[in-house]
Amino acid sequence: MTDTDSRPVGIVMRTGGGRCFVAHEDRVWNCQLRGRLKQGRRRTQTVVAAGDRVILGELQPGLDPPQAVVEEVLPRRSKISRMAARRSGGHIEQVLVANLDQVVVVQSLAEPAPQAGFVDRLLVAAERFAIDGLLVLNKIDLAGARPADTDWDYYAGLGYGVLRTSAATGEGVDGLRDRLTGRTSVLMGASGTGKSSLLNAIDPELALRVGEVTAKTGLGRHTTTSTELFPLPGGGYIADSPGLRGFDPWDVDPDRVRDYFPDFTEGAAECRFRTCRHLEEPQCGVRRLVDAGVIPAWRYEAYRTLVRDLEERRQLLRKRGGPQV
Ligand SMILES: Nc1nc2c(ncn2[C@@H]2O[C@H](COP(=O)(O)OP(=O)(O)OP(=O)(O)O)[C@@H](O)[C@H]2O)c(=O)[nH]1
Ligand SMILES: [Mg+2]
Ligand SMILES: [Zn+2]
């Protein structure tokens, strides 16, 4: 056994205010980061994220809450990362959550309205690390209020789970609990889709704060403000996260986005050019499937928009001479 193996390891439940809260031996430790972890030029603004495995030192179990120092962040086996907001110029990574098995994309079938391409972008970020994708369509008790312009069951045909739930009536909640138990998952979606409400329905002891959807705008109020991991009663962890306004995946090469659309594989085999990106190229097997209605137009549009956005970002960064993504 190496020295590292014998040092105490914990799981980061939440970060905030320059500290992090680490589960270790059935307690949550209030931790500082070792100074050297924060030094040097970094392409990431996230030294430590919820879900990270960390090595602890200077443990003070006698304090309430117990305290320790994070000495080291262990390599992440997977993560959901995005380009950090405008102020970073788009070349800084923000890790939302680390070491995941599953991303649960929560959409509301009522207010707020689903955002085009949002599910597809999150699934690309998940595919990037072979993380499973599950789509949860919440507020079925209110469904019918708005016509569905997306055929959500299309995702089931691609191998993603699709569940319909109501945090209000409890319908579908047992099925969701089953899908979460024993794994590490994160709930992601726009503000007001019902992420925290679903977790409260799964485990009432969590008693998470939930917020109204504004009648005037149909948008949520960003009630949850930090990503936090919770242990599930039957084993595993679930992270609640603040509502996302959109999602720009980090570290996805625009030329590789096509590899993260499983529904393109079959058509791509028929493209004239092996390097076909399924955009303007002649004799494209993928576009043929779109024309034939096998791949829905909205799905293809999500692909095109994402490639375009990633390409724009790459060009902007080149112009500025920043690090390339
Ligand atoms: N009718 C109905 N209302 C729901 C359902 N799920 C959530 N809501 C309501 O939707 C509103 C927003 O719920 P939250 O759980 O706070 O949503 P959230 O996704 O956690 O939002 P943020 O934390 O802001 O990202 C609240 O008023 C909930 O009561 C549902 O299944 N049916
Ligand atoms: Mg919430
Ligand atoms: Zn093609």
Side-chain angles (χ1 to χ4, degrees), residues 134-138 161-165 172 175-177 179:
L134 173 66
L135 177 59
V136 169
L137 307 169
N138 189 37
V162 177
L163 293 179
R164 287 173 168 76
T165 59
L176 177 58
R177 188 188 293 108
R179 295 291 297 244

Side-chain angles (χ1 to χ4, degrees), residues 20-135:
C20 62
F21 301 85
V22 179
H24 169 67
E25 290 188 337
D26 290 333
R27 300 174 78 190
V28 176
W29 302 62
N30 185 336
C31 299
Q32 263 184 319
L33 297 182
R34 182 65 75 204
R36 69 180 142 73
L37 293 177
K38 293 180 273 187
Q39 287 160 6
R41 268 165 60 90
R42 292 190 321 264
R43 285 176 68 204
T44 179
Q45 71 176 35
T46 319
V47 178
V48 61
D52 265 326
R53 260 76 179 157
V54 294
I55 293 177
L56 299 178
E58 296 182 29
L59 281 77
Q60 297 183 278
L63 297 179
D64 186 22
Q67 294 190 14
V69 173
V70 170
E71 301 282 358
E72 219 175 287
V73 180
L74 296 175
R76 295 167 179 144
R77 70 182 156 86
S78 66
K79 60 185 174 179
I80 291 292
S81 292
R82 67 171 173 184
M83 295 180 194
R86 296 129 215 122
R87 71 189 138 94
S88 76
H91 60 263
I92 305 270
E93 173 189 28
Q94 184 187 17
V95 180
L96 299 177
V97 52
N99 301 317
L100 285 173
D101 304 309
Q102 180 168 251
V103 170
V104 182
V105 188
V106 181
Q107 293 276 53
S108 157
L109 290 178
E111 303 286 344
Q115 199 187 332
F118 180 77
V119 172
D120 311 274
R121 284 171 179 240
L122 274 172
L123 291 177
V124 162
E127 290 281 343
R128 165 88 177 69
F129 288 97
I131 298 169
D132 286 344
L134 173 66
L135 177 59

